[in-house]
């Protein structure tokens, strides 16, 4: 039995997209911060892509983050005071141009709250918190990237045989992610092959659903969860599942937008059976099939 959960320390990088509002992303997504550097135009690119930068031997697109989330675009006369946040996310090395960097701060991710209705319909905000008395909005980087670099339809729709489909159909599957775009991608992948599933938008909601299902005698068989979530994150969820006898038979697949071997290693430490960098539909489905095979083997051994 696992004795304690791995708690990967993640702070928040605070930055400015407007003069009055503070925004943040988790530091695990941040590879580097550099001052603005001249860019090379990229023909036929998305309107929010300002060009390409060559940084430390890597050529990467630079996105005007303010424009991408619906705020006034950065003007040419502002560039000399701007910074580029380089992120390593969803298997993409991308730079986000921002108006200013505030600081990196420690964060209790359990204290992040859902966005209040007063923020309107800004779907790029996944949560809010306060730092030194000021409201900070946590941006949904995955959603932003999905708008700028849409996934090809082939990456969203898995291919599998009828026999493989029938192995998955009887299983009770739960998908957990705080990002609306990630939930949509996961749902589309399973909808396209007619596999039923349940959805939770947070780790705590998922844990409650898991307990209710187990108490009703219909426990979940496969858990597919994001790692980086406010509140109860994927690591903690996996730890709780593995250390709760009525839940521990579930096959746990953690997925992350971080291109990080550390994330994968820690996922295994807390008891996850698989750890994937999201999102590639065929990888996800084949991980689920391995879970189905494990369940089938366990049933044969217990017979």
């Amino acid at each position: 039995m696992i004795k304690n959960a791995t708690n990967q320390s993640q702070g928040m990088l605070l930055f400015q997209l407007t003069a009055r509002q503070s925004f943040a992303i988790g530091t695990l997504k941040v590879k580097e911060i550099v001052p603005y550097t001249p860019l090379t135009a990229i023909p036929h690119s998305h309107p929010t892509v300002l060009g390409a930068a060559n940084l430390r031997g890597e050529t990467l697109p630079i996105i005007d983050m303010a424009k991408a989330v619906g705020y006034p675009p950065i003007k040419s006369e502002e560039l000399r005071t701007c910074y580029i946040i380089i992120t390593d996310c969803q298997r993409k090395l991308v730079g986000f141009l921002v108006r200013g960097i505030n600081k990196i701060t420690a964060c209790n991710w359990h204290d992040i709250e859902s966005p209040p209705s007063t923020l309107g319909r800004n779907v790029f905000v996944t949560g809010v918190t306060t730092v030194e008395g000021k409201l900070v909005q946590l941006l949904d980087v995955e959603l932003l990237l999905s708008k700028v670099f849409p996934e090809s339809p082939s990456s969203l729709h898995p291919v599998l045989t009828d026999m493989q489909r029938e192995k998955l159909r009887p299983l009770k599957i739960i998908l957990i992610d705080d990002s609306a775009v990630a939930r949509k991608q996961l749902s589309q992948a399973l909808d396209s092959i007619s596999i039923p599933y349940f959805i939770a938008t947070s780790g705590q909601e998922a844990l409650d659903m898991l307990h209710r299902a187990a108490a009703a005698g219909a426990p979940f068989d496969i858990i597919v969860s994001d790692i980086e979530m406010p509140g109860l994150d994927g690591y903690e969820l996996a730890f709780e599942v593995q250390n709760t006898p009525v839940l521990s038979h579930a096959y746990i697949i953690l997925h992350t937008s971080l291109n990080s071997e550390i994330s994968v290693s820690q996922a295994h430490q807390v008891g996850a059976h698989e750890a994937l960098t999201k999102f590639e539909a065929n990888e996800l489905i084949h991980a689920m099939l391995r879970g189905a095979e494990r369940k089938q083997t366990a049933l044969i051994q217990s017979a």
Side-chain angles (χ1 to χ4, degrees):
M1 179 174 288
I2 302 162
K3 295 182 179 178
N4 49 38
T6 299
N7 182 19
Q8 189 172 18
S9 176
Q10 176 173 207
M12 289 195 308
L13 172 64
L14 307 184
F15 55 90
Q16 299 293 136
L17 297 183
T18 71
R20 301 171 63 181
Q21 293 170 298
S22 293
F23 297 84
I25 59 175
T27 53
L28 293 179
K29 290 183 170 73
V30 179
K31 186 177 178 68
E32 190 176 2
I33 303 168
V34 298
Y36 171 77
T37 184
L39 307 177
T40 303
I42 303 176
H44 313 297
S45 59
H46 190 274
T48 63
V49 176
L50 300 175
N54 191 297
L55 298 169
R56 311 203 191 290
E58 295 273 2
T59 300
L60 60 153
I62 306 300
I63 297 169
D64 181 342
M65 184 180 270
K67 183 177 181 180
V69 301
Y71 292 100
I74 295 173
K75 299 177 181 178
S76 57
E77 58 266 28
E78 298 179 81
L79 292 176
R80 62 182 181 83
T81 59
C82 291
Y83 288 85
I84 297 172
I85 303 171
I86 301 173
T87 65
D88 193 354
C89 186
Q90 289 190 332
R91 305 179 184 179
K92 295 182 181 74
L93 200 63
V94 176
F96 291 104
L97 189 71
V98 299
R99 285 188 161 91
I101 299 292
N102 293 342
K103 64 178 181 178
I104 292 175
T105 183
C107 174
N108 184 344
W109 289 78
H110 291 271
D111 293 339
I112 294 177
E113 301 176 350
S114 298
S117 57
T118 52
L119 289 180
R121 299 178 61 83
N122 188 349
V123 294
F124 292 100
V125 176
T126 61
V128 295
T129 187
T130 55
V131 177
E132 297 175 355
K134 291 186 62 177
L135 180 72
V136 175
Q137 301 179 41
L138 186 67
L139 288 184
D140 187 341
V141 177
E142 286 84 359
L143 177 58
L144 195 158
L145 289 175
S146 75
K147 300 293 186 183
V148 179
F149 305 110
E151 296 283 355
S152 66
S154 61
S155 71
L156 300 176
H157 300 126
V159 178
L160 75 170
T161 66
D162 289 341
M163 185 177 295
Q164 289 172 325
R165 181 183 291 106
E166 292 312 307
K167 283 184 179 180
L168 289 178
R169 283 182 61 80
L171 301 184
K172 194 169 182 180
I173 299 168
I174 184 169
L175 311 176
I176 310 149
D177 207 301
D178 65 316
S179 168
V181 67
R183 291 195 301 273
K184 182 178 179 181
Q185 289 175 336
L186 292 166
S187 298
Q188 286 178 337
L190 294 190
D191 287 342
S192 70
I193 53 176
S194 301
I195 300 298
Y197 57 88
F198 294 79
I199 283 183
T201 61
S202 71
Q204 188 58 57
E205 180 188 3
L207 188 59
D208 293 342
M209 291 173 66
L210 292 167
H211 277 291
R212 287 197 299 270
F220 281 93
D221 301 298
I222 296 180
I223 299 169
V224 180
S225 176
D226 186 20
I227 290 178
E228 303 85 27
M229 295 185 292
L232 190 75
D233 66 23
Y235 294 130
E236 294 168 311
L237 177 63
F239 175 77
E240 290 293 334
V241 169
Q242 287 287 43
N243 283 273
T244 304
V246 294
L247 306 180
S248 60
H249 82 285
Y251 193 81
I252 305 171
I253 304 168
L254 295 185
H255 59 94
T256 174
S257 59
L258 305 174
N259 295 351
S260 170
E261 292 182 5
I262 295 175
S263 295
V264 172
S265 173
Q266 292 192 335
H268 291 304
Q269 287 180 43
V270 295
H273 300 92
E274 308 243 5
L276 309 173
T277 54
K278 63 182 181 189
F279 177 76
E280 208 288 319
N282 280 306
E283 287 186 15
L284 173 62
I285 295 304
H286 281 87
M288 289 182 176
L289 284 167
R290 288 188 286 272
E293 290 169 3
R294 180 177 180 271
K295 178 178 175 62
Q296 187 176 33
T297 300
L299 289 173
I300 293 172
Q301 291 175 345
S302 63

